[in-house]
Amino acid sequence: MLELEDLVKHYPSGGGEIVRALDGVSMSLGAGELVALYGPSGSGKTTLLNIVAALIPPDAGRVTVNGRTVSGLSSREAAQYRRTEVGYVSQSLDLLPGVPAIDNAALKLLGMKISSREARRRAAPLMKRLGLAQRLTHRPDELSAGERQRVLIARALSTGPSIVLADEPTGSLDTKRSREVLSLLTEICGEQEVAMLLVTHDPQAAAFADRVHSLTDGQLVRYEPDQDLLSAGGS
Amino acid sequence: MRLSNVAHLYSVRIRSRLVQELLALAGITVGVALVFAALVANTSLTGSVKQLTDGLVGQATIQLVGRGADGFDEDLLARVRRIEGVADAAPIFEARANIIGPRGRRSVQLFGGDPRFARLGGALLDLFAARDRQQASELGEQEGIALPAPMATALGITPSRSFRVEIDTQTVRVPLALPLPREDIGQLVESPVAIAPLAYAQKIARMEGRINRIFVKPEAGQEAAVEASLRHLANDRVNVRPADSDIAIFEQAAYPTNQSTTLFSVFSALVGFLFAFSAVLLTVPQRRNLIADLRIAGHDTKALIQVLLFDALVLGVLGALLGLVLGDQISRHLFGSVPGYLAFAFPLGEQRIVTWETVAISGGAGIAAACVAVLVPLRDVAFHHPLASPSPDRTIRRETWAVGVGLICLITTTAIIAAAPAAALIGVIALTIALLCLLPLLLRLAIWGFEAVSRNLKSSVPTLAILELRSRAAHTRTLALAATGGIAVFATVAIGGAHADLQRGLDESAREIDGNADVWATFRGTPNAFATTAFAEQSARTEALRDLPGVGNVQSYRGGFLDIGDRRAWVVAPPRTAVYPIPPSQIRSASADTAEDRVAAGGWVALSEAIAKEFNVGVGDPVKLPSPVPTTFRVAAVTTNLGWPPGAIVLNADDYARAWGSTATSALHIQAAPGASVERLTRAVKSTLGPRVPLLVETKAERISRHYAASRQGLDRLTQISVLVVISAILAMAAVMAGMLWQRRPTVAALKVHGYSERELWRALMLESGLLLGTGCVVGAVFGLYGQLLLSRALETITGFPVFYSAAALVAGSILALVTLVAVAMLALPGWLAVRVRATPGVPG
């Protein structure tokens, strides 16, 4: 489903130094598989996600999705790719203010050749699946943090993507809400055979993953989270 | 993205930014309204003259026009009709008259037309169109006057009742009135005209056998030959011109008014646009997030542009529509009056003429402004990496370029002032660009200076204010606000200052011209403020006035208009012994004493600069005036235009009589004997003349005051627009600042958590507002003084207006203080409400 081959991404920092965010990262993900990228802030996790989402190009290496190379796409092709193949969930994203939840969820669908009514109709089942059946017309300031995050998940999944990229999706949630959101996300991704790359520094989130990697000095390393840490996170 | 989806996205988003969108809408509306009103006013002026001309000219292509109010002998008509190639020719008589009805009086231009030739004329003469010779003859013998129906109704004149007409120095009772409805004469129904059969008009004006124009229709292909024959026949005693030449002459006279109104429209539109731009900027963070979301959600650049453009078009189209409606009201009720001074020489009506071009320009400007306001701040997000933010380097480069451009514009303006004042409009635009380009740097310097001064103050208030002003996120908004205030003050100071300089010059000219007599007697009527309507001088009346106790002398003043090329020059001819044979403050070349002595002696004239250039003459050169009796004079002096845009000619009254071949008088100059009371003398003169003589008797002071009022009328529109600009700018600044303060609440809430009191936070907000607006307005005032110099120089050099410079620093300072204080005062309450928010570490946005 998703293949990353020797990805390299460097950034110039102040004083003429180079930050090696990714330095030859390779990885593969199968359909329905959840891989967590664990690590502290600034280790390059978000950079990796952005390259997979074709938001930024790699300096070297290749990203392949379902056999198609998506690194180096034109702007128009990249947009098309993100609309149909990728679902992006991030704590830094927020809902459009003042816009009802159902319309926020249908934002991706508006770019398809369908009417807004049809877009709402297609987003509604997902919203219900995510426990937001009674919240369809609520505006963001009328939703809790967890509900807002679920609307973002609905938006990400609305076009039936092959990959979900989740960047700290539970960063601003308490333990209980985090578990709920992650449970739902992994359940839906499993049902729809969607590969998910989850960036987190929350050990509890890592516990949902099939595999956990960490990014250190631009290199991807298999990571075995401490069982105690996982148990503490679980409770 | 489908258009319906774009519209859907717009409709679900509007709720969260309704206030900001309404503010932006208000800005676009104001800008469009002012542009539209100013354009309608300009178009209507020229259109009014064009309609009247078309109403007379009909099928004629050439006309013979008398050079003086007396016209020429009617016998000329027969000779014109005998010229080979002339298909038809029609005579027209013209005279100034006052129509008096039970409910008031009105000054009109009385036209006399011959029914036998009405078929040649336009709509105005159609009423004379007769079936046959017999009927034409009967119509020609009628004794009655036709009036536009609205005028007749307003004056209480009905067909069944007679009414009075003042003409020459008599009052005549007219037995028959014929109201002319709109269906018959169209838009001419708004013009100050009256029509009578030629013979009757000549009779009541005591000008039997005289006409003022002959309209000629040549046969096809004979135009050139007929014109040549007419010139030969005219023998330099009568002008031969295109039949519609009055339009060109009027456009020449109205040029300064139209130019200044256009200039003000540009300023008004700029203020309106900045208003909208500032308001729209408040929604930039939201739009920025939307664009980022859309890009991450897989929408391409085309979709992003569609969404933004839709936002812009809704704003622009709605703003344009509302602006056109508001502008229509402004043009009707505020700019509706005709500049009085133009009515002295042209019969101008109250028509409002709205062309599709006016609507398109005004509306289009509003839509374009909305598109720029919405799209420009988001160009980096729409076209570049969705997660990128503007680099500091890019910002610095942009500001450096702006300073460079600003300095170049400043140098350009200086060069225009020094060497090419004719390019004043370019100079004003360059100065405006310079202000906008240099403002960021000046604002930065002001903040730095304030920071340096307040560094040692033991108060948090200045620090809080500086923090916000230095915020990168607020940078563009801050600049837009300062620019709005700056432009408003700049426009007001520049135009107000030039206006004041011009007014000083005009007042001085009026004082000297009207100061030549203690008491004036002129033909009644507002259009005669320049004393250009002639009346027959009656020796018996003059002798009676001379015999009055307290009278030192009674003399004739003569004046009128003389067409020189496309210029309708004002001719001023005081008596030889006048105190000011030439208004001395208006002399631009030659010694005032020498020039005045020469004109008084006779054989010399003073010409305004434009007229002198038209003749290509200087002081001492001979010049042949195209008067009814062409006469050669020598140039005694070159003067300003005495406040009459096309130009002026000054000579003594005797020379005027000689060159015009007429002893008709335009005014009686009555000098009081030493020690005599002018007021008592005025009453005695009125009593002697009696109520039936349509002469207005006024003292020197009353006449000067009327002259002042007339010249101010011409500048009224400038005053109105500059007041509107200031009001709009104050409202714009206050409204946008209030919106910005309201958005500041999360920051205020967080600061309160850290222990800042409401009082401290409120004072910081007010200080920040005052500093921002004050800096913008100070910069605007300084640029405004420079703009005043540019405009005054242009007025003086291009149009020849009398302009008396003054450094209006006090006026500039007052304007900027007023604008800043009022805007800040309007923020006091919103600011207080904004700081009342509950202390919270993070408030949802």
Side-chain angles (χ1 to χ4, degrees), chain B residues 372-422:
Chain B
V372 170
V374 169
L375 292 172
V376 165
L378 293 163
R379 62 194 181 284
D380 60 326
V381 181
F383 293 101
H384 298 302
H385 189 300
L387 303 182
S389 56
S391 71
D393 286 343
R394 192 152 28 119
T395 308
I396 290 170
R397 263 201 310 276
R398 200 180 296 160
E399 286 191 3
T400 309
W401 269 107
V403 169
V405 167
L407 289 173
I408 290 171
C409 287
L410 216 47
I411 292 167
T412 305
T413 307
T414 307
I416 288 173
I417 291 173

Side-chain angles (χ1 to χ4, degrees), chain B residues 446-504:
Chain B
I447 295 170
W448 175 82
F450 178 73
E451 197 176 3
V453 161
S454 61
R455 201 161 284 151
N456 295 323
L457 291 177
K458 290 183 172 53
S459 168
S460 61
V461 170
T463 308
L464 289 173
I466 291 287
L467 274 174
E468 202 51 45
L469 285 170
R470 284 209 175 280
S471 157
R472 287 185 61 78
H475 182 64
T476 309
R477 225 168 33 216
T478 304
L479 273 180
L481 280 167
T484 304
I487 290 286
V489 173
F490 162 60
T492 310
V493 170
I495 292 160
H499 180 174
D501 290 346
L502 174 60
Q503 199 58 62
R504 260 189 299 280

Side-chain angles (χ1 to χ4, degrees), chain B residues 531-581:
Chain B
T532 51
T533 303
F535 54 91
E537 185 185 0
Q538 295 178 354
S539 52
R541 178 167 54 218
T542 310
E543 284 306 317
L545 290 175
R546 279 203 184 101
D547 290 340
L548 284 175
V551 169
N553 200 356
V554 179
Q555 292 175 296
S556 284
Y557 167 94
R558 296 188 173 101
F561 292 99
L562 181 67
D563 288 349
I564 298 172
D566 280 344
R567 295 175 179 276
R568 182 155 292 174
W570 177 26
V571 184
V572 177
R576 279 179 190 276
T577 55
V579 174
Y580 306 116

